[in-house]
């Protein structure tokens, strides 16, 4: 397989990065800030059936770290103890990404993805970040029924046409107002900086002198913030599925934002590029391995183009559900995250099955339109992302962004750009927003990992992260899907294991292969 062109350019420079001059910043040094009290963790067996074998705890942390003795909020924490306690090294924290990922759910769901030696040697810990899940959460509705009714009235996936666009803009403007009404002051205190300070408090609570950490997707940005706020506390840190911390999340420190956050990250381009490979690999095999195969890469691409034209004219019905053009694209965007099914992600095989079912499905009638599945967005993404990043603040600007995104990424473009539109009228900005520097030398080097075909956080983000950090080593995985953690590579897992246990880094320019090649016997 040919690697993306960017990889060929950086192989000579993708290892340890020399410390750069430290830029000026308005961010307060945690060492000079008021010191919050370290919470006590009262571990108890978790109560949910899906959390069997895990321990849970709830702790109080300051709402505002500038006033640590003031109002507090609650964090939900989860742990799986090291299976070989006599050889235990310490605690290893996981952030599953998002923003909006709940560690108390994702850690049990994804626990089998951890390398076996790490399970033996580390207590593995995660938590629901503030504003999310079972922690003190951002609330926008009185109850779940009200939430379902609200989103059922909006276009599903993303808006198509003028009427849906007006409905979308008005609906997400109302959403921000409702979140402000129900959550008030919390909205200003769910920033990445706040979560990084929570994680350091939890590190101290479990008695660790330094942090061991795996950050996935948005969790890579959280890790970069932590590493620059607490550089002397980094023992080992793996950042997997990376976001450019400066030019994507923070827009280079500029006050204006012409592109929204998902377009700066490149999620539209990553999805388009990865899906093109899915169609190519699907077409190169037979339909018994990829249900949507038309016998060649070119024929399969043409078949997909014809399917989109069919759906633009009229939705179809699959298993009693009405699938529109936008619903299909939105579903495919998620399916691209994993090659093999993991947790709620159906994977590439599920994507191919969905495409073939849509190809064969009967057209919907007017009576079927009420059966369009309701796609409720992740409020956590808005509450953190909209407050923490710069985005166009004019709702009408997103019409043009959808055009720009379509031109550069095809059908996946508007799905990405409209997903950010709530930020146009989001009612709060982060009270403590980290903007750099990104090059504070950490006590130990950080391992940055990227898949060459990552649909959500493209490989270019891993290159940018490895260059932005003062001490980093880039490990490239020639593979597909969002993060290596969810799309395992035995080669990468060995490097990750040796890094956490022995402090060893892969050699400069190392490239690993992925375990599962799509639509093949491997």
């Amino acid at each position: 397989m040919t690697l993306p062109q960017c990889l060929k350019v950086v192989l000579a420079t993708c290892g340890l990065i020399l410390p750069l001059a430290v830029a000026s910043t308005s961010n307060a040094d945690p060492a000079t800030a008021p010191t919050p009290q370290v919470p006590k963790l009262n571990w108890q067996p978790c109560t949910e059936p899906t959390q069997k074998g895990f321990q849970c705890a709830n702790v109080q942390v300051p709402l505002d770290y500038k006033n640590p003795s003031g109002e507090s909020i609650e964090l939900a924490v989860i742990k799986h103890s090291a299976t070989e306690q006599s050889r235990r090294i310490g605690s290893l924290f996981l952030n599953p990404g998002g923003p909006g990922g709940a560690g108390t759910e994702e850690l049990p769901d994804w626990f089998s993805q951890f390398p076996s030696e790490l399970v033996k040697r580390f207590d593995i810990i995660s938590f629901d970040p503030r504003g999310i899940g079972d922690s003190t959460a951002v609330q926008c509705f009185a109850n779940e029924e009200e939430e379902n009714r609200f989103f059922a009235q909006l276009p599903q996936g993303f808006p198509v046409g003028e009427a849906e666009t007006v409905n979308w803009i008005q609906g997400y403007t109302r959403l921000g107002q409702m979140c402000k009404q129900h959550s008030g002051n919390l909205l200003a205190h769910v920033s990445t900086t706040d979560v990084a300070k929570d994680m350091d408090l939890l590190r101290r609570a479990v008695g660790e002198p330094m942090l061991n950490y795996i950050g996935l997707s948005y969790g890579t940005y959280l890790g970069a913030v932590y590493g620059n706020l607490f550089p002397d506390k980094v023992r080992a840190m793996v950042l997997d599925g990376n976001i450019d911390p400066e030019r994507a999340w923070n827009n280079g420190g500029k006050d204006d934002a012409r592109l929204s956050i998902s377009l700066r990250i490149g999620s539209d381009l990553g999805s388009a590029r990865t899906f093109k490979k899915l169609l190519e690999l699907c077409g190169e095999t037979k339909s018994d391995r990829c249900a949507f195969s038309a016998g060649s890469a070119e024929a399969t691409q043409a078949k997909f183009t014809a399917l989109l034209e069919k759906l633009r004219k009229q939705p179809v019905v699959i298993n009693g559900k009405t699938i529109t053009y936008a619903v299909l694209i939105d579903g495919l965007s998620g399916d691209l995250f994993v090659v093999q099914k993991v947790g709620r992600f159906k994977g590439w095989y599920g994507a191919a099955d969905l495409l073939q079912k849509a190809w064969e499905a009967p057209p919907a009638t007017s009576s079927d339109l009420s059966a369009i599945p309701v796609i409720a967005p992740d409020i956590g993404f808005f509450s953190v992302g909209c407050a923490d990043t710069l985005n166009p603040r004019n709702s009408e600007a997103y019409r043009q962004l959808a055009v720009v995104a379509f031109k550069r990424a095809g059908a996946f473009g508007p799905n990405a750009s409209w997903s950010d539109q709530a930020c146009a009228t989001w009612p709060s900005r982060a009270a403590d927003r980290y903007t750099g520097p990104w090059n504070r030398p950490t006590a130990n080097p950080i391992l940055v990992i990227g898949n060459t075909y990552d649909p959500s956080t493209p490989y270019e983000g891993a290159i940018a992260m490895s260059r932005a950090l003062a001490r980093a080593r880039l490990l490239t995985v020639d593979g597909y899907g969002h993060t290596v953690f969810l799309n395992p590579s035995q080669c990468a897992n060995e490097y990750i294991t040796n890094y956490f246990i022995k402090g060893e880094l892969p050699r400069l320019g190392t490239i690993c292969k992925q375990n599962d090649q799509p639509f093949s016997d491997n």
Side-chain angles (χ1 to χ4, degrees):
M1 183 185 72
T2 302
L3 299 183
Q5 189 64 33
C6 60
L7 173 58
K8 300 176 184 177
V9 174
V10 302
L11 281 181
T13 59
C14 61
L16 285 174
I17 308 301
L18 295 177
L20 305 175
V22 176
S24 62
T25 177
S26 60
N27 293 287
D29 186 341
T32 63
T35 304
Q37 184 176 353
V38 178
K40 293 183 179 180
L41 289 158
N42 183 23
W43 295 110
Q44 301 291 333
C46 298
T47 58
E48 294 295 325
T50 56
Q51 299 170 330
K52 185 178 180 181
F54 291 82
Q55 293 176 290
C56 289
N58 293 289
V59 298
Q60 298 292 315
V61 297
L63 171 68
D64 183 354
Y65 276 92
K66 295 176 183 176
N67 181 22
S69 61
E71 184 179 350
S72 65
I73 58 174
E74 189 171 76
L75 297 183
V77 191
I78 189 169
K79 176 178 75 170
H80 190 283
S81 297
T83 58
E84 295 187 5
Q85 285 290 313
S86 62
R87 301 174 65 225
R88 178 184 177 275
I89 293 173
S91 300
L92 170 58
F93 284 81
L94 169 77
N95 179 276
T104 61
E105 295 178 12
E106 306 291 21
L107 179 57
D109 280 353
W110 299 349
F111 191 70
S112 62
Q113 304 296 113
F114 279 91
S116 59
E117 281 301 309
L118 298 187
V119 173
K120 294 175 183 177
R121 307 289 299 275
F122 289 90
D123 294 343
I124 299 178
I125 299 174
S126 192
F127 61 100
D128 294 357
R130 55 172 60 211
I132 292 161
D134 288 335
S135 294
T136 300
V138 170
Q139 301 291 341
C140 304
F141 303 93
N143 51 53
E144 186 176 352
E145 182 181 355
E146 181 181 282
E147 180 178 4
N148 291 337
R149 283 200 308 269
F150 178 86
F151 287 115
Q153 296 170 3
L154 300 184
Q156 303 305 314
F158 57 90
V160 178
E162 179 61 19
E164 288 194 357
T165 297
V166 171
N167 186 4
W168 184 280
I169 291 174
Q170 292 177 347
Y172 280 95
T173 298
R174 292 198 308 274
L175 176 65
Q177 296 167 350
M178 296 167 71
C179 296
K180 181 66 174 177
Q181 177 185 350
H182 284 84
S183 295
N185 194 38
L186 177 62
L187 291 181
H189 296 287
V190 293
S191 72
T192 306
T193 307
D194 292 317
V195 178
K197 293 176 179 178
D198 289 342
M199 189 158 64
D200 194 62
L201 208 54
L202 291 174
R203 171 193 65 79
R204 295 167 63 194
V206 297
E208 294 294 345
M210 303 179 80
L211 181 75
N212 298 292
Y213 175 74
I214 295 177
L216 310 178
S217 192
Y218 161 77
T220 64
Y221 178 73
L222 172 60
V225 171
Y226 182 95
N228 282 277
L229 286 176
F230 306 99
D232 61 329
K233 300 302 181 184
V234 175
R235 178 189 177 272
M237 180 177 287
V238 166
L239 306 182
D240 180 5
N242 287 262
I243 295 169
D244 183 339
E246 184 174 16
R247 292 175 179 81
W249 197 263
N250 277 307
N251 200 29
K254 299 176 182 178
D255 291 332
D256 65 320
R258 292 178 176 85
L259 295 179
S260 62
I261 178 60
S262 294
L263 300 192
R264 290 201 303 274
I265 291 172
S267 298
D268 58 329
L269 294 169
S271 293
R273 185 169 69 184
T274 305
F275 186 71
K276 183 179 180 182
K277 288 299 295 185
L278 182 152
L279 292 179
E280 177 184 319
L281 295 174
C282 179
E284 290 173 353
T285 191
K286 296 181 180 179
S287 58
D288 60 340
R289 292 185 180 171
C290 178
F292 194 65
S293 176
S296 71
E298 295 77 10
T300 305
Q301 175 64 64
K303 183 178 177 181
F304 177 69
T305 301
L307 173 60
L308 291 188
E309 287 301 314
K310 171 185 173 181
L311 289 175
R312 280 184 177 276
K313 295 175 182 176
Q314 193 169 13
V316 297
V317 178
I318 301 176
N319 299 329
K321 296 291 185 181
T322 300
I323 306 300
T324 65
Y325 168 86
V327 167
L328 178 77
I329 295 299
D330 187 79
L332 290 174
S333 297
D335 291 342
L336 290 174
F337 276 32
V338 296
V339 172
Q340 302 285 354
K341 186 180 185 302
V342 178
R344 65 183 183 277
F345 300 121
K346 294 184 294 183
W348 284 34
Y349 295 86
D353 288 341
L354 173 63
L355 288 169
Q356 186 61 24
K357 288 177 180 176
W359 180 257
E360 298 171 350
T365 64
S366 57
S367 62
D368 294 319
L369 297 182
S370 61
I372 297 174
V374 176
I375 303 171
D378 189 341
I379 301 298
F381 176 84
F382 298 141
S383 59
V384 178
C386 292
D388 218 27
T389 70
L390 297 176
N391 297 276
R393 296 292 288 177
N394 177 2
S395 291
E396 294 300 315
Y398 289 82
R399 294 175 183 267
Q400 185 59 38
L401 284 183
V403 173
V404 170
F406 183 82
K407 285 182 178 178
R408 75 182 204 175
F412 290 94
N415 187 52
S417 61
W418 283 114
S419 70
D420 296 334
Q421 192 274 323
C423 295
T425 53
W426 194 252
S428 184
R429 295 291 291 156
D432 193 1
R433 178 171 172 261
Y434 190 80
T435 57
W438 302 103
N439 53 5
R440 286 176 170 158
T442 49
N444 292 290
I446 293 170
L447 181 56
V448 174
I449 307 178
N451 277 339
T452 52
Y453 285 92
D454 188 314
S456 183
T457 54
Y459 178 69
E460 291 85 351
I463 298 170
M465 180 68 84
S466 68
R467 289 174 172 169
L469 300 175
R471 304 183 67 197
R473 176 65 56 87
L474 175 62
L475 173 62
T476 298
V477 176
D478 185 6
Y480 311 94
H482 187 34
T483 76
V484 175
F485 185 86
L486 294 178
N487 298 276
S489 160
Q490 181 60 34
C491 166
N493 279 349
E494 289 176 2
Y495 284 119
I496 292 168
T497 299
N498 287 336
Y499 170 66
F500 275 114
I501 293 176
K502 302 176 183 179
E504 296 177 355
L505 289 169
R507 290 183 178 180
L508 206 77
T510 298
I511 302 174
C512 284
K513 289 285 187 182
Q514 194 172 66
N515 291 353
D516 295 321
Q517 294 300 303
F519 312 125
S520 72
D521 288 335
N522 293 318

